[in-house]
Amino acid sequence: MTTLPILDSAPFLTGPGPAEARALLESLERHGAARLVLPSGFARLASAALLHAEAFFARPEAEKAEICITDSPHHRGWSVMNTERDWREQVHLGREWPAAEGGPDWARLEGPNRWPVPDRGFRAAMEAHLEAGAALGGALMQALAPFFGIRPEVHDPVGSYTLLKLIAYHPQRPGGAARPGVAAHVDFSLLTLVAQDGEGGLEVQEPGGGWVLVPPEAGTLILHPGELLEALSGGRIRAVPHRVTHAGTSKARLSLPLFFNPPLEAWIHPRSAPPRSELGSHVHRVLTGLEGPFRFGEAEWRRKGLNRWCATCCEGA
């Protein structure tokens, strides 16, 4: 694989025919990812969100810390990750829902975001991009669901636990050892839709185990499946390992991954799948491939609330 296939997203938003649905399925089965060309209106929303993200990350650290994620019971807000496997800062956002009153632990994942002050249009830009992404994610899943008998309540775009992450990958320090932006991993999602700026650095793993650079292209999103779709498809669609190494030394690389997820209360019924063989270095994963039915909210809470973000790294934690 030298390039990812290109798909027009517009037909999925208006009702795809069998040919478009089949092309989407084949792209994900064969290549693991695709480039989605956006309608002009959606492309403008993505560009606006990237500009607002750039302006936010340029703020003084004290201002960004005012919306620190550690002060949010709903896992929303700003954080910094400067470790051997992650060299970035980020903002977690989701749909602006009221905080749940009582209920199971995973109900805490619903709640309000933490918005920067002054706003300067940040909130409006992020909410517009998030809702457009949720609609597209739902439409793509609606096209894929019949191939695997996935129930509508699993990919309901209205009730979906859709998350948007703003990420600034730090530039390399001149003369220092290269630091990874984020280590190899797969996403715990149904689908992930990624907008990126012009800096580059995103790599996806091809079926043979090699890594392929995905160059940024204006007006497109990168689409790749997550672990939940792998489980629901019985492994026909694999969650694609990906990583980021930002080689630049002068400015950060910006990325806006949007994670289209089931509603928190939805049950996931994995289909049996052939054993997954790891190629090359370790890839962080949440699922082991041996799970029976599970509620998505409970699994998401183990990942976030209990810090069980990798089935191998966190084993026994």
Side-chain angles (χ1 to χ4, degrees):
M1 179 180 69
T2 56
T3 60
L4 297 179
I6 301 174
L7 300 174
D8 184 2
S9 65
F12 295 96
L13 294 169
T14 57
E20 288 87 0
R22 175 61 64 176
L24 173 62
L25 174 65
E26 291 179 354
S27 294
L28 298 184
E29 283 187 317
R30 293 180 58 191
H31 302 281
R35 293 172 290 169
L36 292 181
V37 178
L38 296 177
S40 58
F42 194 166
R44 286 193 293 271
L45 294 179
S47 295
L50 283 165
L51 288 173
H52 280 281
E54 182 178 22
F56 173 81
F57 288 121
R59 293 189 182 198
E61 186 162 312
E63 283 190 22
K64 292 182 284 190
E66 291 176 357
I67 62 165
C68 187
I69 197 170
T70 57
D71 297 325
S72 168
H74 316 296
H75 295 267
R76 312 286 178 88
W78 173 80
S79 60
V80 178
M81 304 182 75
N82 290 342
T83 67
E84 290 304 312
R85 68 176 293 271
D86 295 315
W87 182 235
R88 57 195 163 109
E89 57 183 296
Q90 55 195 13
V91 178
H92 285 77
L93 299 170
R95 283 178 152 158
E96 188 74 9
W97 286 335
E101 297 183 6
D105 286 342
W106 54 263
R108 299 185 222 171
L109 295 170
E110 294 186 359
N113 293 295
R114 307 201 71 206
W115 301 107
V117 178
D119 183 284
R120 303 191 184 104
F122 179 94
R123 175 173 178 172
M126 297 308 165
E127 289 186 327
H129 181 70
L130 189 151
E131 290 304 326
L136 178 55
L140 293 167
M141 279 302 306
Q142 187 173 7
L144 291 170
F147 294 108
F148 309 110
I150 301 174
R151 295 169 300 166
E153 61 267 25
V154 172
H155 56 88
D156 170 27
V158 176
S160 69
Y161 181 68
T162 298
L163 300 174
L164 176 63
K165 189 184 291 188
L166 321 181
I167 308 176
Y169 293 96
H170 301 309
Q172 301 291 336
R173 292 171 175 164
R179 301 283 295 271
V182 62
H185 67 285
V186 295
D187 290 343
F188 193 60
S189 65
L190 287 169
L191 295 172
T192 301
L193 299 161
V194 184
Q196 53 180 335
D197 68 3
E199 288 295 297
L202 172 65
E203 296 177 297
V204 298
Q205 190 176 45
E206 59 185 345
W211 291 93
V212 176
L213 186 67
V214 182
E217 296 178 75
T220 68
L221 296 179
I222 304 302
L223 165 68
H224 57 84
E227 288 190 87
L228 299 177
L229 184 53
E230 178 176 310
L232 289 165
S233 69
R236 278 185 64 186
I237 296 179
R238 295 286 190 170
V240 174
H242 53 287
R243 66 187 184 186
V244 172
T245 301
H246 174 38
T249 59
S250 60
K251 61 178 294 189
R253 172 191 181 268
L254 298 177
S255 175
L256 272 61
L258 182 141
F259 307 96
F260 182 77
N261 299 313
L264 289 170
E265 65 272 15
W267 281 86
I268 305 298
H269 292 266
R271 304 177 74 179
S272 59
R276 182 197 298 117
S277 58
E278 295 289 2
L279 300 170
S281 59
H282 174 63
V283 174
H284 298 290
R285 298 177 183 272
V286 174
L287 302 180
T288 65
L290 302 174
E291 289 82 5
F294 62 90
R295 191 189 298 271
F296 170 64
E298 293 173 350
E300 181 74 347
W301 177 253
R302 283 196 298 272
R303 190 171 74 92
K304 290 184 173 177
L306 303 181
N307 203 31
R308 297 293 300 273
W309 47 268
C310 180
T312 302
C313 297
C314 303
E315 186 175 2

